[in-house]
Amino acid sequence: MQFQDTSDKQALAKLVPTLMGFAKVAEGLANRFKGAVLWGTVSGGVAAVWLAFFAHSVWHASTAVTVGVGVVLAVPAMVAGWCWSVLDDAVGMPQRIADWVQRAKLYAGDAKERLQGAKPSGGRFKDLWQLGGLTVELAMMGGDARDLLGLVGGTLALTNPVFLFALIGSGLAIGLVDLGGFIAGLFYLFR
């Protein structure tokens, strides 16, 4: 049992620096690109709405066609918005991981104190009470582990090539939608 405890501690000692390294890289990427992605999301959404309005007002398209054009042209902005939310989750992740490690140490210390302080001769009610407290501590540690998976899991999309292709593809599509909106604006002004 002692060997298992030691190997778990060694695994955790290797995992935390790896997670912190990933978190720092992810936060750096997020800080660098988050503003540009947000700008693309907003400009793509506005251009999509403008082009739908343009199709309705100038070409007298039906409402169904107008809504369809607006939705199709807004897809790149929605993809960019998803990318922005992934980048936004990465901001502050190193601090959240450090806070998680501190909470896990506190829970582990509390659980260890409860185990060491448990006295089997204290009576059944007292033993059940101590066991209940220990169970709550272990459940809280499990909840925190789930929180850590949520912290890291959401930003793991940054390592997926599909995320990169989605970001680049939506950026190019937003550029085309913005260009189309600009041309439509000039046409609308000078018609």
Side-chain angles (χ1 to χ4, degrees):
M1 189 65 169
Q2 182 65 24
F3 175 72
Q4 179 68 25
D5 185 42
T6 305
S7 66
D8 288 346
K9 286 181 182 178
Q10 290 172 348
L12 186 62
K14 290 179 183 176
L15 177 67
V16 171
T18 303
L19 282 177
M20 288 300 274
F22 169 73
K24 288 178 182 176
V25 169
E27 185 180 42
L29 285 171
N31 286 332
R32 183 173 180 99
F33 294 111
K34 196 172 91 163
V37 173
L38 181 61
W39 173 253
T41 301
V42 171
S43 72
V46 169
V49 169
W50 163 246
L51 286 172
F53 170 77
F54 179 79
H56 184 69
S57 65
V58 173
W59 294 331
H60 306 292
S62 69
T63 304
V65 170
T66 301
V67 170
V69 166
V71 168
V72 167
L73 293 176
V75 166
M78 288 187 275
V79 170
W82 169 73
C83 293
W84 178 84
S85 71
V86 169
L87 291 171
D88 189 49
D89 286 343
V91 173
M93 192 168 56
Q95 183 59 43
R96 291 192 306 257
I97 290 174
D99 292 344
W100 177 86
V101 169
Q102 286 303 109
R103 280 193 313 272
K105 286 180 182 177
L106 288 174
Y107 289 143
D110 288 348
K112 186 176 180 180
E113 286 176 17
R114 283 185 189 270
L115 281 174
Q116 288 174 347
K119 296 177 183 154
S121 62
R124 289 182 184 233
F125 181 73
K126 188 174 182 183
D127 290 344
L128 283 174
W129 185 262
Q130 288 176 343
L131 181 63
L134 180 61
T135 305
V136 168
E137 294 293 331
L138 293 175
M140 292 174 85
M141 286 175 66
D144 271 359
R146 200 172 325 123
D147 291 345
L148 179 65
L149 288 175
L151 284 173
V152 177
T155 55
L156 281 177
L158 291 172
T159 64
N160 192 342
V162 174
F163 176 83
L164 181 62
F165 292 133
L167 185 59
I168 291 171
S170 67
L172 292 173
I174 287 171
L176 291 175
V177 170
D178 286 350
L179 180 63
F182 178 74
I183 292 170
L186 289 178
F187 180 78
Y188 190 77
L189 285 175
F190 296 115
R191 67 181 168 122

